[in-house]
Amino acid sequence: MALPIRFCLLVCGLFVAAGAGAMTLTVQNEPHLAQARALVQEALRVGGLAVDMVDSPKANERRNVALISEGLTHIDMMPATPTRLELVRNGKLRMIPIPLDRGLLGYRVNLLLESRRDMLAGVRTAEDLRAFSLGQNVGWMDVEIYRAAGIPTKEIKDWADGEFALQMEAGFLDLFPLGLEETLTHFLPHFRGKYPQLTIDPHVIVRYPWFRFVWVSPKPEADEVFDALQRGFDKMVANGRFLRIWRQYRKPPPRGVFAGRVVIDIPNPFYGYDLVPPKYRHLLFEDGAR
Amino acid sequence: MTAEPPWSDTRPRRPLYRQFIGQLFVPLVIAFLLAAAGTVFIGYRVELAAQVSHRQELVRVFSHALVKPLWDCDSMTSQGVVDALASLPTVSGAQVQDLCNNLSLKAGEGASVQTEQQQYSQHVIYVDQQGRQYTVGELTVDFHPASIANAALDMMWRYLVLFFVMLGVMMVGAILVFRRTISQPLARFQAAIRTGVGFGGDDLPRLDDEIRKHNDELGDVMRAYDELMVELASVIDRLRDNERALMEIARLDPLTKLGNRLVLEEELSGAVARAERQQTIGCVMLIDLNRFKPINDTYGHAAGDAVLKEMARRLSSSVRRSDTVVRLGGDEFVVIAENLQRPYEPQVLIDKLYRAISAPLEYDGHVFRVGASIGAACFPADGTNSVTLLAHADHAMYANKKREQ
């Protein structure tokens, strides 16, 4: 091929590449999801897709599901729920079952009033927990898990700033369980800013299969995104980049957290640990108790 | 039977203010009814617009209230909002399409026949922190049919009552103003006129004062009337002067300036009546000149007239101021003497008259001597009315004349 023709093709190729630009994706973004968002961003890059990410609107789980199934959000990073799994089965949502929080979400520690810090000192089994009243946000899947285990659970609307402390003082609630790692690193200091009377229970950790996955819109325009994420996460898991990025943002709970705390396993009536495919299962946190 | 004046009218009297009000009433009622109808129509349109605005605002407010629960996919709260909306008295039913849960949340009952005016729909849109809009549902509200017609009817009655009260006030005010500006000045004008012609008392207004008070059309009318009256008074004065002159001409003898037969009749009747009343004696003396005709025939009428005038003067100067001398015509004179105290006094007077008449008189170088035949009748002895007395005196005068001949 003549040199001028080659030159022209090169120039044209550069123009095409420049004109293609980055794909704009609407992605969930919340303060406690920094590591999840970083992992998704890296996976897309590694998967070969240049994207510009804009935040999806702040919403609860039901709205998140509606947004992503309608294609208004391209990617979110939420725990697996029966609703989401059902949508996946029906082709209305796509799931990449990589445990973004390494299964730590299934380790639940109870927030309670400082004045009643040792309320759970005698609790050893799930049956023992039935004497207490738990609070959870409306629509959370945890509600069904606790209720399936026979633990009374009430749904409240406002929790994100620790408002449940007032309901505890009113005697409406006793406990408000959240993920162990996110509570230690984010929620507890955040809640105590407004409600310093809150603390975490030092006696019990509840554990059930509970994973934060990556979810992708079922719309055709997200096909390329889904493929890129699959490729990217596979590569990141294989080359260890997944764990390296994870550790930049999160760290496993120190062994001391488990010392003196009884770990009570309760089943998740909707899925088990096998929801995480074998290729990602080694990412799950091992505390040695299971 | 007296003839009625040309301006007399048998129809009932209609005062000016009644005519004024009567002619003002119908146009005013029409104007007020038109104003009332216009006001009600405008009120109806305003009420309609207000109702539409109110409904739109209601839908907007409830759409706003639904944003959060619909965004949160909280169908229970959304249902509560819809229930609250449907419980409003103006709302017959409400429905919201919950796109998140794919539910249709309803409350109340829709109207049987929906029109655009009764059904309002609005998308419920959530706007996130970045300004992006998300349609999370659609609110549809069915309102009860508008009761604006009834409201307009009520309003119309209120306005009609108000307008009729205003009309009444205006009519009363118009009557008062009319009476104050027209009727009362006219009444004072009438009273002033009566004062001017002698009907009024001291408490009645004077026309001059009324004219000074009114610097307007009514004042012009009064002024014109006043000028007319002045002119009329002048005419009447002239007529009276003329009448007085005519009366004098009719009662006086133009030659001697003595009274004539009319005066004789009046004076003699009066003298008889006074004599009867005062129990006095009076006499009437009929004087006929002798040898007068030859003077008249020989020296002319001018000489005769001069003799008559001189005789009149002598007779007048021979009697008292209270006595009366008249000329009957030709060479006949009559003297009426009243209040004669003594029975012989008439003869004394007759003798005095003879002497006065018989005295010579000069005229144009000639000396004339005339005589007289005098017949007297005294009252009440010789009669108590002029006819009888004059007849008696006439007989006596002719008897004397025969005796002298």
Side-chain angles (χ1 to χ4, degrees):
Chain A
M1 190 178 289
L3 188 61
I5 295 174
R6 283 184 182 176
F7 179 75
C8 287
L9 288 175
L10 179 62
V11 171
C12 290
L14 287 172
F15 273 114
V16 168
M23 187 178 192
T24 300
L25 297 180
T26 303
V27 181
Q28 185 187 18
N29 186 18
E30 293 177 31
H32 65 287
L33 295 178
Q35 108 281 359
R37 192 173 164 102
L39 288 169
V40 165
Q41 195 164 17
E42 180 66 9
L44 288 168
R45 190 191 66 78
V46 172
L49 189 63
V51 298
D52 290 329
M53 294 201 299
V54 295
D55 296 347
S56 64
K58 299 286 183 294
N60 64 14
E61 168 59 4
R62 287 176 184 167
R63 176 53 58 186
N64 282 334
V65 171
L67 287 172
I68 197 166
S69 59
E70 291 169 11
L72 297 172
T73 296
H74 295 98
I75 301 169
D76 72 10
M77 299 78 73
M78 291 297 289
T81 64
T83 301
R84 286 180 178 256
L85 295 175
E86 179 68 17
L87 288 172
V88 170
R89 280 193 290 275
N90 293 332
K92 295 180 179 176
L93 185 62
R94 284 184 279 202
M95 174 179 76
I96 298 174
I98 184 164
L100 293 174
D101 54 9
R102 301 182 61 199
L104 283 170
L105 206 58
Y107 289 78
R108 314 299 285 185
V109 66
N110 288 291
L111 286 140
L112 74 175
L113 294 174
E114 178 79 41
S115 60
R116 302 172 72 184
R117 183 171 177 273
D118 294 321
M119 183 192 297
L120 303 180
V123 171
R124 295 290 180 270
T125 65
E127 286 73 20
D128 295 335
L129 280 173
R130 291 174 185 170
F132 302 94
S133 178
L134 270 62
Q136 293 285 267
N137 187 214
V138 176
W140 284 359
M141 191 191 74
D142 313 70
V143 174
E144 300 305 323
I145 296 172
Y146 289 122
R147 285 177 178 167
I151 303 169
T153 308
K154 295 172 181 172
E155 293 177 273
I156 61 172
K157 283 189 176 177
D158 299 316
W159 70 280
D161 291 323
E163 295 90 336
F164 49 84
L166 302 175
Q167 296 175 333
M168 289 177 177
E169 288 177 333
F172 183 69
L173 298 176
D174 296 314
L175 309 166
F176 195 92
L178 286 169
L180 171 62
E181 192 273 338
E182 64 186 1
T183 299
L184 293 173
T185 58
H186 173 72
F187 286 130
L188 182 60
H190 173 64
F191 293 157
R192 285 174 66 89
K194 284 183 81 172
Y195 300 98
Q197 64 270 46
L198 287 174
T199 187
I200 57 171
D201 159 59
H203 303 290
V204 172
I205 289 175
V206 176
R207 182 171 60 192
Y208 45 81
W210 184 227
F211 310 110
R212 186 181 297 276
F213 289 158
V214 177
W215 309 88
V216 180
S217 164
K219 300 297 179 186
E221 59 265 25
D223 288 351
E224 193 179 357
V225 176
F226 181 73
D227 293 341
L229 285 171
Q230 289 273 30
R231 286 194 303 272
F233 276 121
D234 285 349
K235 287 181 182 174
M236 288 168 64
V237 169
N239 63 20
R241 182 149 181 76
F242 181 93
L243 287 175
R244 283 198 297 278
I245 291 176
W246 193 91
R247 289 191 190 102
Q248 290 175 8
Y249 294 89
R250 310 285 289 269
K251 52 189 175 191
R255 292 289 172 187
V257 170
F258 295 93
R261 281 190 169 93
V262 176
V263 177
I264 300 174
D265 281 297
I266 59 174
N268 181 336
F270 304 108
Y271 56 81
Y273 289 100
D274 57 354
L275 187 63
V276 179
K279 62 178 180 180
Y280 298 146
R281 205 168 289 168
H282 67 280
L283 297 173
L284 295 176
F285 174 73
E286 292 289 342
D287 63 277
R290 188 170 59 208
Chain B
M1 184 176 178
T2 55
E4 289 188 344
W7 59 82
S8 75
D9 195 341
T10 55
R11 291 176 300 176
R13 179 177 165 80
R14 293 185 65 212
L16 278 177
Y17 78 88
R18 281 192 190 169
Q19 295 181 45
F20 174 71
I21 294 301
Q23 292 181 21
L24 197 64
F25 185 73
V26 173
L28 270 181
V29 167
I30 291 172
F32 273 100
L33 286 177
L34 285 174
T39 306
V40 168
F41 178 72
I42 292 169
Y44 174 83
R45 301 297 302 179
V46 169
E47 184 69 20
L48 191 64
Q51 193 175 70
V52 169
S53 174
H54 171 73
R55 290 178 171 185
Q56 289 173 339
E57 178 64 12
L58 192 69
V59 173
R60 191 192 67 76
V61 168
F62 273 84
S63 295
H64 184 70
L66 280 165
V67 168
K68 186 68 167 62
L70 285 177
W71 176 252
D72 290 343
C73 306
D74 182 357
S75 58
M76 190 176 297
T77 302
S78 299
Q79 181 67 57
V81 174
V82 173
D83 290 343
L85 175 58
S87 68
L88 296 176
T90 56
V91 176
S92 65
Q95 173 180 323
V96 67
Q97 201 66 32
D98 181 355
L99 298 178
C100 178
N101 297 306
N102 199 23
L103 292 173
S104 180
L105 307 174
K106 299 178 182 176
E109 295 180 359
S112 56
V113 179
Q114 291 298 348
T115 65
E116 287 185 6
Q117 288 186 339
Q118 292 167 19
Q119 189 173 74
Y120 292 73
S121 293
Q122 182 167 329
H123 287 291
V124 182
I125 296 172
Y126 173 82
V127 181
D128 74 355
Q129 291 177 329
Q130 300 178 50
R132 292 171 297 191
Q133 296 187 345
Y134 298 88
T135 300
V136 293
E138 182 177 10
L139 175 63
T140 303
V141 184
D142 296 326
F143 289 92
H144 288 299
S147 60
I148 296 175
N150 292 333
L153 211 58
D154 291 342
M155 191 163 50
M156 188 180 76
W157 280 115
R158 288 201 299 274
Y159 277 117
L160 278 180
V161 169
L162 178 65
F163 282 146
F164 275 109
V165 169
M166 289 173 63
L167 180 63
V169 170
M170 277 192 67
M171 298 304 277
V172 170
I175 289 173
L176 293 175
V177 169
F178 188 90
R179 293 187 66 168
R180 185 164 173 270
T181 57
I182 305 292
S183 296
Q184 291 175 356
L186 277 178
R188 287 199 299 276
F189 182 34
Q190 187 180 24
I193 291 170
R194 287 184 171 166
T195 306
V197 297
F199 288 104
D202 293 339
D203 56 335
L204 291 174
R206 288 177 50 78
L207 187 57
D208 291 347
D209 297 337
E210 289 302 309
I211 291 173
R212 274 195 294 275
K213 281 182 188 173
H214 290 275
N215 185 22
D216 52 19
E217 292 87 340
L218 201 59
D220 295 342
V221 171
M222 291 181 188
R223 207 168 289 112
Y225 173 81
D226 191 42
E227 290 167 4
L228 181 64
M229 287 299 106
V230 169
E231 181 66 25
L232 189 59
S234 171
V235 170
I236 289 171
D237 286 345
R238 286 200 298 273
L239 286 174
R240 282 180 178 161
D241 291 343
N242 292 340
E243 183 187 19
R244 200 174 297 114
L246 286 173
M247 287 293 289
E248 286 183 4
I249 290 168
R251 290 165 58 84
L252 290 181
D253 172 38
L255 179 63
T256 62
K257 304 302 178 190
L258 294 175
N260 60 13
R261 186 176 292 276
L262 284 175
V263 175
L264 171 64
E265 289 289 335
E266 290 173 6
E267 292 297 324
L268 183 55
S269 299
V272 169
R274 282 191 291 274
E276 282 183 340
R277 192 166 56 247
Q278 298 170 0
Q279 299 291 312
T280 57
I281 297 169
C283 285
V284 56
M285 293 154 212
L286 187 59
I287 301 165
D288 184 53
L289 298 180
N290 295 331
R291 298 184 295 279
F292 170 72
K293 193 169 181 304
I295 294 170
N296 204 35
D297 293 343
T298 304
Y299 299 101
H301 289 294
D305 289 347
V307 171
L308 290 174
K309 287 165 75 175
E310 175 60 19
M311 289 304 114
R313 188 192 63 76
R314 291 180 182 178
L315 290 173
S316 296
S317 59
S318 301
V319 300
R320 295 167 297 182
R321 188 176 296 274
S322 59
D323 294 339
T324 303
V325 179
V326 300
R327 180 188 173 209
L328 284 182
D331 55 355
E332 286 187 338
F333 293 88
V334 175
V335 172
I336 302 168
E338 296 181 62
N339 204 18
L340 299 174
Q341 298 299 325
R342 292 181 292 274
Y344 56 86
E345 197 168 0
Q347 190 55 52
V348 172
L349 180 57
I350 290 170
D351 292 343
K352 186 178 181 182
L353 292 177
Y354 271 128
R355 285 192 296 275
I357 292 168
S358 309
L361 67 92
E362 285 188 16
Y363 175 75
D364 198 20
H366 304 285
V367 176
F368 301 130
R369 288 183 185 274
V370 295
S373 297
I374 300 174
C378 290
F379 46 87
D382 297 327
T384 55
N385 62 68
S386 57
V387 175
T388 305
L389 288 169
L390 286 174
H392 192 280
D394 194 48
H395 280 296
M397 187 269 291
Y398 275 104
N400 286 337
K401 188 175 283 280
K402 281 182 179 176
R403 236 183 347 259
E404 289 167 3
Q405 287 175 349

